[in-house]
Amino acid sequence: AEDGIRDDLVTGVQTCALPISAFGSTVLGRHRVHNTVWMVTDTPHIEMEYVEGEDLESRMIRKGAMGWQEALPLFTQVADALAYMHERRVCHRDIKPSNLLLQANGQVKLVDFGIALESGANPLTVAGMTFGSLGYVPPEWMDAKLDHVKWDIYSFGVLCWELLTGSQAWPVLSGGQQEMIRILSDKAKRSYLDVGDAFPTRLRALVADMTMADRARRLGSASEVRTRLDAITAPVRPARPAPAGASA
């Protein structure tokens, strides 16, 4: 891609609601808004890529928990995609396993920008309303001063927890306002999600920091998530032996 390396990870499928100001470069006389959104003269149109693969929710239902060594490359791709979007002032606001398609070659596609939001703007679907999948929204979802980047980070953290454990973090048992209040209240009471001690300490800490109920303590950058993911697999240098005769 001319303006970044993550065009291959961010794909508009179903309703693409990215703002025209979010992306831009000129290719062969056509104005490229995004990898799948083009404008020819004055008529905008959407080119939807066919992605052959399985969404991660279906994969989890079919196979259960994913080993952390298998999951890390997927998490890294998602972190890259979110960093790419956030740098261009676009928040997805609906990160969840069913919106990530896994291809046979291991590449992940982030889809469904139907409720994407340009930072500082009104929601791009229905002005004045807030959307999202209840099991993945942060505890402060109803706050008028909601930080949409931290919303994406929280949702991503829940997704990581679910793929690693093979369980739903916040099952939605019914519809309606009472269920929404119950789930948001439960989230606020749970300081963070813990994958357990069967996973590397750095990975366990990362998921916890992404899912902090206290948004002031939650990670606020997808780039930082990516850096910490890299550190999980970074080789540990052996300590140098102490010189002969050196005291402990």
Side-chain angles (χ1 to χ4, degrees), residues 143-205:
D143 194 321
K145 297 182 179 179
L146 182 61
D147 183 328
H148 293 89
V149 170
K150 289 200 171 186
W151 174 350
D152 278 354
I153 297 296
Y154 182 88
S155 302
F156 182 18
V158 174
L159 179 149
C160 293
W161 186 92
E162 291 189 342
L163 289 182
L164 292 170
T165 64
S167 303
Q168 279 188 287
W170 310 105
V172 180
L173 304 179
S174 64
Q177 186 176 15
Q178 291 301 317
E179 180 71 353
M180 177 187 71
I181 293 172
R182 180 190 69 80
I183 290 179
L184 294 180
S185 176
D186 288 349
K187 289 184 177 186
K189 295 174 185 175
R190 190 166 177 178
S191 298
Y192 54 84
L193 293 176
D194 185 4
V195 295
D197 57 11
F199 298 91
T201 301
R202 287 177 175 176
L203 179 57
R204 184 181 185 182

Side-chain angles (χ1 to χ4, degrees), residues 7-25:
D7 278 0
D8 56 337
L9 300 183
V10 185
T11 302
V13 175
Q14 298 180 20
T15 305
C16 184
L18 293 175
I20 289 179
S21 60
F23 304 93
S25 64

Side-chain angles (χ1 to χ4, degrees), residues 51-54 70 74 101-109:
V51 179
E52 186 173 358
E54 180 180 33
E70 180 184 0
L74 308 186
L101 304 182
L102 178 61
Q103 298 179 280
N105 63 1
Q107 186 179 46
V108 174
K109 293 281 188 175

